[in-house]
Amino acid sequence: MASAELFGTIGMVDVFLAMALLIVIASFVSLYRGIEGPGIFNRIIAVNVIGTKTIVLLVLIGFIYERPDFFDIALLYAILNFIMTIAATRY
Amino acid sequence: MSDTIINLTNVITVLLLLVGAFFMLAGTIGFVRFPDFYSRMHATGKCDTLGEGLMLVGLIVYGGATFVSVKILFLIMFILLANPTSTHAIAKAAYDVGLEPWRKLDDRVEWLDTGNTDDGRDDQDGGEER
């Protein structure tokens, strides 16, 4: 499945690695607002956004290393992120 | 898959991944650059949901009709349910605490000059901590 190549030497795994790198860069940019942002609600949003990016990152890692275990971890992480946000906004 | 250099599945996958990554980066830039809590949430709440959905749809197209794709489909459905719900919960919690929304400077000065305090919102608490 992963042996189909796009442009000669660039395989699909390299494209997935580039997308994962973009997501990691976006997560660090969001982390700036999480550290610097005034008030507690900006930090709650930052945690929510980074968790949302982490879900896609986990699915991409599962496709890069061809291990289907990571999709279960991504689903569990989505549920935990949602529950954490609701609990943080209730109290 | 076939051993051609460019087949249709890979092209569709790369296009969906690029569009999804563009939406995610745009949402992140808006999250850093916008002046207010509510407008930051306006930037992240929609762009992240759409970008993540597009990237996962691209990965479904790449993976084909397997059990893994059904799992990612469940993930997309859960995200489309949960992410606007959590955004709404954060916004309602912030509004109940009393964060006032950001408005333009001319509007605020004119509103202060006329002395009209009957604006329909209580504005004295939590104004500094946006």
Side-chain angles (χ1 to χ4, degrees), chain B:
Chain B
M1 305 264 178
S2 63
D3 50 354
T4 58
I5 301 298
I6 298 172
N7 52 2
L8 190 59
T9 310
N10 287 345
V11 171
I12 292 174
T13 303
V14 170
L15 276 180
L16 283 172
L17 281 176
L18 279 177
V19 174
F22 169 71
F23 271 106
M24 272 197 167
L25 285 176
T28 305
I29 290 169
F31 181 54
V32 173
R33 289 293 296 165
F34 270 162
D36 187 14
F37 167 72
Y38 294 104
S39 52
R40 276 170 207 151
M41 201 158 48
H42 159 78
T44 62
K46 294 191 284 293
C47 286
D48 272 344
T49 309
L50 182 59
E52 181 165 10
L54 283 175
M55 290 185 88
L56 291 181
V57 166
L59 290 176
I60 282 179
V61 171
Y62 179 72
T66 55
F67 182 67
V68 166
S69 297
V70 178
K71 207 177 286 182
I72 299 176
L73 191 65
F74 279 135
L75 190 59
I76 290 177
M77 287 170 60
F78 180 74
I79 284 166
L80 287 182
L81 277 177
N83 215 346
T85 309
S86 58
T87 305
H88 174 75
I90 297 170
K92 192 164 188 311
Y95 193 74
D96 286 342
V97 162
L99 242 62
E100 80 167 7
W102 181 79
R103 53 176 70 189
K104 290 175 74 175
L105 195 59
D106 300 334
D107 210 3
R108 178 177 297 177
V109 167
E110 183 181 358
W111 175 69
L112 282 179
D113 282 339
T114 54
N116 187 10
T117 58
D118 194 6
D119 200 15
R121 63 177 90 240
D122 43 357
D123 52 331
Q124 293 302 319
D125 41 2
E128 288 84 7
E129 186 182 325
R130 278 189 202 130

